[in-house]
Amino acid sequence: MSEICSLCPRECGADRQAGAYGICGVSGEKIKIARAALHRWEEPCISGDTGSGAVFFCGCPLKCVYCQNREIAHAKTGIEVSVNRLAKIFIDLQQQGAANINLVTPTHYTPQIVEAAERARKTGLKVPFVYNCSGYEKVETLKLLEGIVDVYLTDFKYMETDLADRYSRAPDYPDAAKAALEEMVRQAGSPVFDEQGMLMRGVIVRHLLLPSCVRNGKAVVKYVHETYGDQVLLSLMNQYTPMESGTAIYPELGRKVTKKEYEKLVDYALNLGVGQGYIQEGDTAKESFIPDFDGTGIIK
């Protein structure tokens, strides 16, 4: 890691090696994680029957006001581990039957993750790496992952700059996400599945529909489909759950997405000709997709 951090589009310039905290909320060279365990709540081609080996990293460069993982996004919890320990965690997850190693919110630890992944590969890691991110990425940082990451599982949250500014303080999000997605597709290529239907290489673009934001959702779907077609898989999500911390200041976020709103987005995607992807059925906002960030799988 360089002395002045510029791993994410915010380019805050924090000297993390000297103990300064970046906008992501972390400092130092060690990796802070909150959980490392089998996770069954991703898309079917990621979770499979055994579960994805999810490593939840603490801190986040984006920090959306509606974040469901707020507890770890602000790095107020978690356990620090070395690169060597992280490599062993990857191996542990494979031994537990993980279909892949799922790096959740990894951006601000990219150099350490690359080193840990290379060590793990040398000591027997065979399963794919999944880079599970917000979409707010720098192309230069993503290039460090070429040859390491097999699957990009990326959000595409906003095409409207005013929403990106209001909810994530990142008016440059649309431009950053477009450039990042282009690099992800360049690296991973079109989807490649194994005989069990598990995604071995490729890109999944997620869009979480927010209340009253169908227009933004349609714009995301239109851009991704018209730009990449079946080169990427679209995952349209209706699981938005109001979080008390966000709704006090942003009252419009104080309700779930309606069935009608979600159906409008899905119908729009189908009418555009989207042929590959995932939708969520039923009232998923009633379900909890948030695991316990209790240090599971970190300390032996």
Side-chain angles (χ1 to χ4, degrees), residues 181-198:
L181 181 55
E182 182 179 5
E183 175 62 17
M184 293 173 187
V185 174
R186 184 192 71 79
Q187 287 186 27
S190 298
V192 176
F193 298 89
D194 69 6
E195 54 274 13
Q196 282 78 44
M198 299 299 293

Side-chain angles (χ1 to χ4, degrees), residues 47-73:
S47 292
D49 295 328
T50 58
S52 179
V55 181
F56 289 88
F57 294 91
C58 296
C60 177
L62 201 52
K63 294 191 180 71
C64 305
V65 299
Y66 49 83
C67 181
Q68 293 186 340
N69 290 350
R70 185 179 181 86
E71 178 184 351
I72 63 172

